[in-house]
């Protein structure tokens, strides 16, 4: 997980009860993990990078969802 200026990143460990956690895996094909991809909710300013297994975890504070209750999830990777 990395932070960019003006962008909040997900954190490992426990999250406050008012926080939604979105997690999953990014695959380039069945059983082929896509490591290093950026997974983000651009409208909420939250992003994370996938690990070597393609796994990601985003913590979304409930207050952020008041501004965009159905944010789009975007995945970016060089070469895809």
């Amino acid at each position: 997980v990395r932070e960019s200026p003006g962008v909040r990143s997900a954190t490992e460990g426990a999250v406050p009860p008012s926080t939604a956690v979105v997690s999953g895996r990014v695959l380039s094909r069945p059983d082929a993990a896509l490591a290093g991809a950026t997974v983000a909710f651009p409208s909420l300013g939250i992003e994370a990078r996938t690990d070597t297994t393609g796994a990601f975890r985003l913590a979304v504070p409930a207050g952020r969802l008041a501004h965009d209750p159905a944010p789009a999830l975007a995945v970016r990777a060089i070469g895809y």
Side-chain angles (χ1 to χ4, degrees), residues 7-60:
V7 176
R8 293 185 184 206
S9 66
T11 57
E12 294 298 323
V15 294
S18 61
T19 301
V21 175
V22 178
S23 62
R25 288 184 65 208
V26 177
L27 306 173
S28 60
R29 61 182 185 275
D31 296 325
L34 190 55
T38 300
V39 180
F41 286 116
S43 65
L44 302 179
I46 298 171
E47 70 177 31
R49 291 222 184 251
T50 58
D51 64 15
T52 57
T53 68
F56 68 91
R57 182 173 179 268
L58 297 167
V60 182

